[in-house]
């Protein structure tokens, strides 16, 4: 049985790859996606955009990467691990690690046309073992996805209406693809910044990235030990 891990940023994946000693196996020639293999695991990373020379974060690459990953490796389960924003008003702290709750949603797809509103927000299935979260000391919360690091008033209204506790840029798009393939998805997200904090998200993100990735890597190792 193959288990797949999907990351958006190399900085999020590297400590896990180093701890596990997983070898680089393949680079997708068109999109630059990176795949590492070993120990019954495949680790998929969005890679570097060839012109902008930064990690290909966000929903476009996430969808293509998940589709490529599922077609190429046919994993039994996908774990999407990464960093995210949290909400201090809902008890989140920098460095917390969340297991995604049973649905993932989008907060920046507003389509006020008859029938399209629900498809825009989407309610996409996520596998959530709350007993396991409690055992591993993980918080549980709804993960919401959009294509911006900042948060407009419209985004915030949607996040609040959806009961989101975690704001990031890939999970719901990965869930969209996993649902079509009938492959279960687990979300693991470490908090780098607080959306409702006065300092800029980008400053918090840069300052707290190493701490959050350390916590993410520890949580991922603990989660892997519990999976069959
Ligand atoms: N990744 C880390 N923090 C984030 C935030 N606040 N919004 C979107 N993606 C993030």
């Amino acid at each position: 049985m193959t288990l797949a891990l999907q990351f958006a940023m190399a900085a999020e994946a590297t400590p896990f790859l180093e701890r596990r000693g997983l070898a680089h196996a393949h680079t997708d020639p068109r999109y630059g996606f990176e795949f590492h293999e070993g120990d019954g695991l495949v680790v998929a990373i969005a890679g570097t955009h060839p012109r902008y020379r930064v990690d290909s974060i966000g929903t476009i690459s996430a969808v293509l990467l998940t589709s490529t990953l599922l077609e190429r490796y046919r994993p039994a389960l996908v774990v999407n691990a990464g960093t995210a924003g949290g909400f201090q008003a809902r008890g989140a702290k920098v460095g917390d690690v969340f297991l995604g709750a049973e649905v993932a949603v989008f907060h920046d797809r507003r389509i006020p046309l008859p029938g399209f509103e629900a498809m825009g927000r989407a309610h996409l299935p996520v596998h959530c073992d709350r007993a396991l979260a409690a055992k591993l000391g993980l918080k549980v919360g709804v993960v919401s996805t959009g294509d911006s690091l900042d948060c407009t008033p419209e985004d915030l209204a949607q996040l609040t209406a959806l009961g989101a506790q975690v704001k990031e840029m890939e999970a719901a798009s990965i869930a969209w693809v996993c649902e079509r393939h009938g492959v279960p998805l687990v979300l693991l997200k470490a908090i780098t910044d607080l959306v409702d904090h006065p300092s800029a998200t980008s400053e918090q993100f840069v300052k707290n990235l190493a701490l959050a990735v350390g916590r993410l890597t520890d949580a991922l190792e603990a989660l892997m030990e519990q999976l069959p």
Side-chain angles (χ1 to χ4, degrees):
M1 179 188 103
T2 301
L3 177 66
L5 306 186
Q6 180 168 339
F7 295 88
M9 299 181 76
E12 295 167 336
T14 301
F16 183 80
L17 292 174
E18 286 177 352
R19 268 195 217 178
R20 286 281 177 133
L22 294 179
H24 179 264
H26 174 66
T27 302
D28 183 278
R30 185 172 304 275
Y31 298 113
F33 302 148
E34 302 282 359
F35 297 92
H36 291 67
E37 294 175 30
D39 281 350
L41 281 180
V42 54
V43 176
I45 310 168
T48 304
H49 191 283
R51 279 195 300 113
Y52 299 110
R53 307 227 153 266
V54 290
D55 304 87
S56 293
I57 62 174
T59 61
I60 295 171
S61 291
V63 163
L64 285 166
L65 175 54
T66 308
S67 177
T68 306
L69 170 68
L70 297 182
E71 299 285 354
R72 185 179 170 95
Y73 292 95
R74 312 234 167 248
L77 174 75
V78 176
V79 178
N80 169 223
T83 55
F87 295 84
Q88 55 186 357
R90 283 163 229 164
K93 296 192 177 59
V94 167
D96 282 350
V97 183
F98 279 82
L99 190 71
E102 289 78 1
V103 291
V105 292
F106 291 103
H107 55 263
D108 68 352
R109 291 167 30 110
R110 293 175 287 275
I111 316 173
L113 292 171
F116 288 85
E117 193 115 44
M119 191 272 289
R121 280 191 299 270
H123 276 79
L124 298 151
V126 172
H127 177 76
C128 176
D129 183 337
R130 286 174 181 261
L132 182 58
K135 187 172 170 186
L136 300 180
L138 304 173
K139 294 188 171 177
V140 177
V142 171
V143 178
S144 185
T145 299
D147 264 309
S148 296
L149 187 69
D150 71 358
C151 188
T152 67
E154 292 81 6
D155 291 343
L156 188 58
Q158 189 88 288
L159 284 156
T160 305
L162 293 166
Q165 307 220 33
V166 179
K167 172 181 176 288
E168 52 75 87
M169 298 176 68
E170 289 87 18
S173 47
I174 295 169
W176 187 284
V177 182
C178 284
E179 181 180 27
R180 302 302 167 91
H181 285 254
V183 175
L185 171 67
V186 171
L187 303 175
L188 196 66
K189 300 282 164 174
I191 302 303
T192 48
D193 56 275
L194 299 167
V195 178
D196 51 352
H197 189 275
S199 40
T201 298
S202 52
E203 280 169 24
Q204 297 183 58
F205 179 81
V206 171
K207 182 170 159 226
N208 299 320
L209 181 62
L211 166 79
V213 170
R215 299 266 177 90
L216 178 70
T217 308
D218 291 344
L220 200 47
E221 288 281 13
L223 182 68
M224 298 284 96
E225 274 174 27
Q226 302 294 323
L227 294 176

